[in-house]
Amino acid sequence: MHEELLDVGAIAVLTNAPTRINMQLFECQACCQPLYFENVLCDSCGRTLGYLPGKTTLTALEKNGEGFVALADPGVAYRFCANIAHGSCNWLIAEGSGDSFCVACRHNRTIPNLSDQHNLTLWRRIEIAKHRLFYSLLRLRLPLVTKAMDPTGLAFDFLAPGDKQIMTGHIGGAITISLAEADDSEREKQRGAMGEPYRTLLGHFRHEIAHYYWDRMVRDHTAIEGFRNIFGDEREDYAEALERHYSKGPPADWPNNFVTAYASSHPWEDFAETWAHYFHIIDTLEIARAFGIRTSPRVSDSSALQGFVDFDPYKATVEQLLHAWLPLTFAFNSINRSMGLNDLYPFLLSPSVILKLTYVCNLIQRRPASESIDENDALRAMATGLRRGLASPV
C-alpha cells in the first residue's frame, strides 16, 4: 500500500459517498482497477486518485514535493482543489495555476456553514451532483464564465433552510440550491407533493443550468425565432403562467407535447426540462457504451428491442440517441421493476418532444438550424418504439 497522501476523513467521505455517479468507465493507470468518478483512493493498489477535467479522466497520482505527478499526464505537476479539505472535491489544478479552486468549485458563491455536520453532509452530496454536471458541460464545451470575470457569469448559492424558505431556482446567472434537496426524505416528500415521477439533485442542476444557457445562447441571438417556433413565446407573463399551472394544473393532453407536466407551464420551463432530459440521455448512454451494454431480447420479434451504443452520445444526433435510448430504457425499466423500484426513465418521448430535443441538441452542438428534423421525421423516428410501447413508461 502507498503512503496516505490526503486527510483520512476526506478520503472516507469521497470514497464511501452515498451517491455514486459514473460516466465514462475509469480505471487506475497503475493497476487497471475499475473506478468510480468520485474515488480518491484505488481500492486495489492504494494510490491516491484525482480527476483531470482537461483530460476528462481519473488519474492515479505520485507524490512530487508539495504536489503530485499524474500518471495520465506525467509532464505536469498538479495539486488538489482547496475543497478536498472538506471531502467535497477530487478535481486537480495545474501546480502553476493561480486558482485555489477547480473549474467546478470556483463558481461557488455561497456555501453553508460547514461547522454544522448536517450541513456539511448535505453539501457534499450537492457537490457530487454539481461535479457531474460540470463533467457534461466540459464535455460539451459549453462556455463557463465566473461572476468575477463577468457580472452575468455563473454562480451557485447553496443555502441551508432556516426561518425563511429557500427556493431552488435561477436568476441573472445565479443558481440557488436548497440544502433540503440533498436530504433524501425531504426531496421524496417534495416529489410526492408535486406529483413528480422523478426528482434528484442532478436533475435540479441540469434544469437550472438550462436557464443560464438560455440567457447566454438564445435570448439575444438569432436562435430566438427558432425557439419560439418550437417552444412558444417566452414573453408570456411568467408569474401568471406559474400561478395558472399550480392552481389549475397542466392541460389534459400535456404528454402529447411536453416531456413533463411542469414543462407545460411556460416556454422557459419547457426548454429547461427538455435540456435536462437531453443531458439525462447522453450521460446515461455514455456509461452504457462504456460498459458495452446492449439489448437483444428473447422475444418473437426483437428488432424494436435491440439497442446498443456504437457512437459518442455527446456528439450524436437525436435520431442516433433515440435508436439506442428507447430499447435500453425499456430494458432498464423492466430491470428496475423486477426489484420493486420505480422506472429508471418514467417519461414519454412524443414527436413534439423529439422536435424540442433536436432543437436543444443542435443548439448545444452548434449545428445549423437547417439540420433540424420536421414533425414527419419525428413521427418516423417514433414509429418503431410506439409499435412496441417503448416510448411509454406504463
Short mmCIF file of all heavy atoms in Angstrom, two decimals, residues 135-166:
data_model
loop_
_atom_site.label_atom_id
_atom_site.label_comp_id
_atom_site.label_asym_id
_atom_site.label_seq_id
_atom_site.Cartn_x
_atom_site.Cartn_y
_atom_site.Cartn_z
N TYR A 135 -18.88 17.86 -15.47
CA TYR A 135 -18.32 16.88 -16.41
C TYR A 135 -18.99 17.03 -17.77
O TYR A 135 -18.32 17.11 -18.81
CB TYR A 135 -18.53 15.46 -15.87
CG TYR A 135 -18.20 14.39 -16.90
CD1 TYR A 135 -16.91 13.91 -17.02
CD2 TYR A 135 -19.18 13.90 -17.76
CE1 TYR A 135 -16.60 12.94 -17.98
CE2 TYR A 135 -18.88 12.94 -18.71
CZ TYR A 135 -17.60 12.47 -18.82
OH TYR A 135 -17.30 11.53 -19.77
N SER A 136 -20.32 17.11 -17.79
CA SER A 136 -21.06 17.23 -19.05
C SER A 136 -20.83 18.57 -19.72
O SER A 136 -20.66 18.65 -20.94
CB SER A 136 -22.56 17.01 -18.81
OG SER A 136 -22.82 15.70 -18.37
N LEU A 137 -20.84 19.65 -18.94
CA LEU A 137 -20.63 20.98 -19.52
C LEU A 137 -19.27 21.06 -20.21
O LEU A 137 -19.14 21.64 -21.30
CB LEU A 137 -20.72 22.05 -18.43
CG LEU A 137 -22.06 22.19 -17.69
CD1 LEU A 137 -21.96 23.27 -16.63
CD2 LEU A 137 -23.20 22.49 -18.66
N LEU A 138 -18.25 20.47 -19.59
CA LEU A 138 -16.92 20.48 -20.19
C LEU A 138 -16.85 19.57 -21.41
O LEU A 138 -16.20 19.90 -22.41
CB LEU A 138 -15.88 20.08 -19.15
CG LEU A 138 -15.69 21.08 -18.01
CD1 LEU A 138 -14.87 20.46 -16.88
CD2 LEU A 138 -15.01 22.35 -18.51
N ARG A 139 -17.50 18.41 -21.34
CA ARG A 139 -17.52 17.51 -22.49
C ARG A 139 -18.18 18.18 -23.69
O ARG A 139 -17.78 17.97 -24.84
CB ARG A 139 -18.28 16.23 -22.14
CG ARG A 139 -17.52 15.25 -21.30
CD ARG A 139 -16.57 14.40 -22.15
NE ARG A 139 -17.27 13.29 -22.79
CZ ARG A 139 -17.45 13.14 -24.10
NH1 ARG A 139 -17.02 14.05 -24.94
NH2 ARG A 139 -18.08 12.09 -24.58
N LEU A 140 -19.20 18.99 -23.43
CA LEU A 140 -19.94 19.66 -24.50
C LEU A 140 -19.31 20.99 -24.88
O LEU A 140 -19.81 21.68 -25.78
CB LEU A 140 -21.40 19.88 -24.07
CG LEU A 140 -22.22 18.61 -23.91
CD1 LEU A 140 -23.53 18.92 -23.19
CD2 LEU A 140 -22.50 17.95 -25.25
N ARG A 141 -18.24 21.37 -24.22
CA ARG A 141 -17.51 22.62 -24.49
C ARG A 141 -18.43 23.85 -24.41
O ARG A 141 -18.32 24.79 -25.20
CB ARG A 141 -16.82 22.55 -25.85
CG ARG A 141 -15.80 21.42 -25.96
CD ARG A 141 -15.06 21.43 -27.28
NE ARG A 141 -14.10 20.34 -27.35
CZ ARG A 141 -12.88 20.36 -26.85
NH1 ARG A 141 -12.45 21.43 -26.21
NH2 ARG A 141 -12.08 19.31 -26.97
N LEU A 142 -19.32 23.83 -23.43
CA LEU A 142 -20.18 24.98 -23.21
C LEU A 142 -19.41 26.04 -22.44
O LEU A 142 -18.56 25.73 -21.60
CB LEU A 142 -21.43 24.57 -22.43
CG LEU A 142 -22.43 23.74 -23.25
CD1 LEU A 142 -23.46 23.08 -22.34
CD2 LEU A 142 -23.13 24.61 -24.29
N PRO A 143 -19.65 27.32 -22.74
CA PRO A 143 -18.88 28.39 -22.11
C PRO A 143 -19.12 28.46 -20.60
O PRO A 143 -20.25 28.36 -20.14
CB PRO A 143 -19.38 29.66 -22.81
CG PRO A 143 -20.73 29.29 -23.35
CD PRO A 143 -20.65 27.84 -23.70
N LEU A 144 -18.03 28.62 -19.85
CA LEU A 144 -18.10 28.72 -18.40
C LEU A 144 -17.41 30.01 -17.96
O LEU A 144 -16.19 30.16 -18.15
CB LEU A 144 -17.44 27.51 -17.74
CG LEU A 144 -18.21 26.19 -17.86
CD1 LEU A 144 -17.34 25.02 -17.44
CD2 LEU A 144 -19.48 26.25 -17.03
N VAL A 145 -18.18 30.93 -17.42
CA VAL A 145 -17.68 32.24 -17.01
C VAL A 145 -18.09 32.48 -15.57
O VAL A 145 -19.27 32.31 -15.21
CB VAL A 145 -18.26 33.35 -17.91
CG1 VAL A 145 -17.72 34.71 -17.50
CG2 VAL A 145 -17.97 33.07 -19.38
N THR A 146 -17.16 32.88 -14.73
CA THR A 146 -17.47 33.16 -13.33
C THR A 146 -17.99 34.59 -13.18
O THR A 146 -17.83 35.43 -14.08
CB THR A 146 -16.24 32.99 -12.44
OG1 THR A 146 -15.26 33.98 -12.80
CG2 THR A 146 -15.64 31.60 -12.58
N LYS A 147 -18.59 34.87 -12.04
CA LYS A 147 -19.06 36.22 -11.75
C LYS A 147 -17.89 37.20 -11.66
O LYS A 147 -18.03 38.38 -11.96
CB LYS A 147 -19.84 36.23 -10.43
CG LYS A 147 -21.21 35.57 -10.49
CD LYS A 147 -22.20 36.43 -11.23
CE LYS A 147 -23.60 35.85 -11.15
NZ LYS A 147 -24.56 36.59 -12.01
N ALA A 148 -16.71 36.72 -11.24
CA ALA A 148 -15.54 37.59 -11.17
C ALA A 148 -15.10 38.04 -12.55
O ALA A 148 -14.57 39.14 -12.73
CB ALA A 148 -14.40 36.86 -10.46
N MET A 149 -15.33 37.21 -13.56
CA MET A 149 -14.97 37.54 -14.93
C MET A 149 -16.02 38.40 -15.61
O MET A 149 -15.71 39.24 -16.45
CB MET A 149 -14.76 36.24 -15.72
CG MET A 149 -13.65 35.35 -15.18
SD MET A 149 -13.69 33.68 -15.89
CE MET A 149 -13.44 34.02 -17.63
N ASP A 150 -17.29 38.16 -15.25
CA ASP A 150 -18.41 38.84 -15.91
C ASP A 150 -19.58 38.84 -14.94
O ASP A 150 -19.95 37.79 -14.43
CB ASP A 150 -18.77 38.07 -17.19
CG ASP A 150 -19.91 38.71 -17.98
OD1 ASP A 150 -20.63 39.56 -17.42
OD2 ASP A 150 -20.10 38.34 -19.15
N PRO A 151 -20.17 40.02 -14.67
CA PRO A 151 -21.31 40.07 -13.74
C PRO A 151 -22.47 39.16 -14.13
O PRO A 151 -23.28 38.78 -13.28
CB PRO A 151 -21.72 41.54 -13.78
CG PRO A 151 -20.50 42.27 -14.20
CD PRO A 151 -19.79 41.35 -15.14
N THR A 152 -22.56 38.82 -15.41
CA THR A 152 -23.62 37.92 -15.86
C THR A 152 -23.18 36.46 -15.85
O THR A 152 -23.90 35.59 -16.33
CB THR A 152 -24.11 38.29 -17.27
OG1 THR A 152 -23.05 38.04 -18.22
CG2 THR A 152 -24.52 39.75 -17.36
N GLY A 153 -21.98 36.19 -15.32
CA GLY A 153 -21.45 34.84 -15.30
C GLY A 153 -22.20 33.93 -14.35
O GLY A 153 -23.18 34.32 -13.70
N LEU A 154 -21.71 32.71 -14.24
CA LEU A 154 -22.38 31.65 -13.48
C LEU A 154 -21.90 31.61 -12.04
O LEU A 154 -20.70 31.67 -11.76
CB LEU A 154 -22.12 30.30 -14.15
CG LEU A 154 -22.67 29.05 -13.47
CD1 LEU A 154 -24.19 29.07 -13.45
CD2 LEU A 154 -22.15 27.79 -14.19
N ALA A 155 -22.85 31.51 -11.11
CA ALA A 155 -22.53 31.37 -9.69
C ALA A 155 -23.55 30.45 -9.03
O ALA A 155 -24.71 30.37 -9.47
CB ALA A 155 -22.51 32.72 -8.99
N PHE A 156 -23.12 29.77 -7.97
CA PHE A 156 -24.01 28.89 -7.21
C PHE A 156 -24.11 29.37 -5.77
O PHE A 156 -23.09 29.68 -5.13
CB PHE A 156 -23.48 27.45 -7.21
CG PHE A 156 -23.52 26.80 -8.56
CD1 PHE A 156 -22.40 26.80 -9.37
CD2 PHE A 156 -24.68 26.18 -9.02
CE1 PHE A 156 -22.43 26.20 -10.63
CE2 PHE A 156 -24.72 25.58 -10.27
CZ PHE A 156 -23.60 25.59 -11.08
N ASP A 157 -25.32 29.40 -5.27
CA ASP A 157 -25.58 29.69 -3.86
C ASP A 157 -26.24 28.46 -3.25
O ASP A 157 -27.38 28.11 -3.61
CB ASP A 157 -26.51 30.90 -3.71
CG ASP A 157 -25.87 32.18 -4.23
OD1 ASP A 157 -24.65 32.36 -4.03
OD2 ASP A 157 -26.59 33.01 -4.83
N PHE A 158 -25.55 27.79 -2.35
CA PHE A 158 -26.07 26.61 -1.68
C PHE A 158 -26.47 27.02 -0.26
O PHE A 158 -25.61 27.31 0.58
CB PHE A 158 -25.03 25.50 -1.66
CG PHE A 158 -24.54 25.11 -3.03
CD1 PHE A 158 -23.18 25.07 -3.31
CD2 PHE A 158 -25.43 24.80 -4.04
CE1 PHE A 158 -22.73 24.71 -4.58
CE2 PHE A 158 -25.00 24.44 -5.31
CZ PHE A 158 -23.64 24.40 -5.58
N LEU A 159 -27.77 27.07 -0.02
CA LEU A 159 -28.29 27.67 1.20
C LEU A 159 -29.01 26.66 2.08
O LEU A 159 -29.78 25.82 1.58
CB LEU A 159 -29.25 28.81 0.84
CG LEU A 159 -28.69 29.90 -0.09
CD1 LEU A 159 -29.77 30.94 -0.37
CD2 LEU A 159 -27.45 30.54 0.50
N ALA A 160 -28.76 26.78 3.38
CA ALA A 160 -29.42 25.92 4.35
C ALA A 160 -30.77 26.51 4.74
O ALA A 160 -30.86 27.71 5.01
CB ALA A 160 -28.55 25.75 5.58
N PRO A 161 -31.82 25.71 4.75
CA PRO A 161 -33.14 26.23 5.16
C PRO A 161 -33.10 26.75 6.59
O PRO A 161 -32.42 26.18 7.44
CB PRO A 161 -34.05 25.01 5.03
CG PRO A 161 -33.32 24.06 4.15
CD PRO A 161 -31.87 24.29 4.40
N GLY A 162 -33.82 27.82 6.81
CA GLY A 162 -33.93 28.38 8.16
C GLY A 162 -35.32 28.91 8.37
O GLY A 162 -36.30 28.27 7.98
N ASP A 163 -35.42 30.08 8.97
CA ASP A 163 -36.73 30.69 9.17
C ASP A 163 -37.37 31.06 7.83
O ASP A 163 -38.59 31.04 7.68
CB ASP A 163 -36.61 31.95 10.03
CG ASP A 163 -36.14 31.62 11.45
OD1 ASP A 163 -36.39 30.48 11.88
OD2 ASP A 163 -35.53 32.49 12.08
N LYS A 164 -36.53 31.38 6.86
CA LYS A 164 -37.02 31.75 5.54
C LYS A 164 -36.88 30.57 4.58
O LYS A 164 -35.84 29.91 4.52
CB LYS A 164 -36.22 32.95 5.00
CG LYS A 164 -36.69 33.47 3.66
CD LYS A 164 -35.85 34.66 3.23
CE LYS A 164 -36.30 35.17 1.85
NZ LYS A 164 -35.48 36.33 1.40
N GLN A 165 -37.96 30.29 3.84
CA GLN A 165 -37.93 29.18 2.89
C GLN A 165 -36.96 29.49 1.76
O GLN A 165 -36.94 30.60 1.22
CB GLN A 165 -39.32 28.92 2.33
CG GLN A 165 -39.39 27.71 1.40
CD GLN A 165 -40.78 27.47 0.86
OE1 GLN A 165 -41.66 28.31 1.02
NE2 GLN A 165 -40.99 26.34 0.22
N ILE A 166 -36.15 28.51 1.39
CA ILE A 166 -35.20 28.66 0.30
C ILE A 166 -35.80 28.04 -0.96
O ILE A 166 -36.20 26.86 -0.95
CB ILE A 166 -33.86 27.97 0.62
CG1 ILE A 166 -33.27 28.51 1.92
CG2 ILE A 166 -32.89 28.16 -0.54
CD1 ILE A 166 -32.99 29.98 1.92
#
